[in-house]
Amino acid sequence: MPRKAQAAQCLELTVAEGFEQTVHVDSGIAAILGAVVGALGTGGAAVVTGVWAAKTAQHQAAAQDAQARRQLRAEHVRERRGPRSKAYADFVAQARVIERALGRYQDSHILEMGQFNQEVDKLDYLGVQVLLEGPPSVIRPSQDLISCAHRCMRPLRVSIAALHEFGDESSEYAAAKSAVGDVGFELIAEVKDFAEAARRVLDDDGAGQADASVGAQVATTATVARDAVADSG
């Protein structure tokens, strides 16, 4: 097999191993260079080294810039996790308060809904904290949850009025109570959707970005090495 073909084959094998086994980028680069130089021999090694030096500067500058950006993002994600976790937890806890209040109010003869309205207003306030903390992936679920909480008010008011006016054995109260149950199930679903979106955000520690950076540097090294082998012939 010609030396250049041997070099290319060694390069492919080394790159494949680098993605699976290499922890430090430098060791992956050393493995690739060692395979290429060993296949080309002493004379070819000098040519490859010269071409490598010329091509690597440009690739390294771009790779280092991309890696720096990824590392900054990962650090940002980690710094925001604490405040976001508190904002999400407070928001979900208040939504659960409203869930419980729905059942408590519809079975009571209390016509005044001031306390329930205050609980919804509090959810509005905590929703602002979620908006400020972000990221965009939790904004829509939080707003859907708040809207659903507001939709609970009318059927709950109708249910309480029907209970007070017609009694708990009336068809009017049964229909109104069923409507409250329906919107209550919607609220539970919205809470679940928000909680899942929030969990995905909190599970993202930026490590995936760092791993991608390692893979990108190994891939860049392989590209430069292939060019060097080609130029040496």
Side-chain angles (χ1 to χ4, degrees), residues 87-105:
Y88 300 163
D90 290 346
F91 186 69
V92 170
Q94 183 60 25
R96 298 301 303 275
V97 168
I98 294 174
E99 282 182 31
R100 293 189 293 272
L102 270 176
R104 186 171 64 253
Y105 266 81

Side-chain angles (χ1 to χ4, degrees), residues 152-181:
C152 292
M153 296 171 121
R154 185 176 183 280
L156 181 59
R157 185 180 296 109
V158 172
S159 176
I160 294 173
L163 177 62
H164 182 77
E165 183 175 354
F166 301 106
D168 57 6
E169 299 295 331
S170 66
S171 60
E172 290 85 355
Y173 175 65
K177 186 174 182 178
S178 177
V180 174

Side-chain angles (χ1 to χ4, degrees), residues 9-98:
Q9 183 178 18
C10 290
L11 178 60
E12 296 295 337
L13 291 173
T14 306
V15 172
E17 293 174 355
F19 277 113
E20 295 178 359
Q21 301 174 2
T22 300
V23 176
H24 298 292
V25 176
D26 290 344
S27 63
I29 293 174
I32 294 173
L33 282 175
V36 173
V37 171
L40 289 176
T42 304
V47 176
V48 168
T49 302
V51 176
W52 173 273
K55 291 180 176 293
T56 296
Q58 180 179 359
H59 285 279
Q60 284 291 334
Q64 288 171 0
D65 179 68
Q67 182 180 12
R69 292 176 182 274
R70 283 186 287 264
Q71 288 176 340
L72 285 173
R73 180 192 178 278
E75 292 172 5
H76 175 73
V77 167
R78 294 186 184 104
E79 289 174 358
R80 297 295 296 275
R81 183 179 293 111
R84 283 174 171 172
S85 179
K86 184 179 186 308
Y88 300 163
D90 290 346
F91 186 69
V92 170
Q94 183 60 25
R96 298 301 303 275
V97 168
I98 294 174

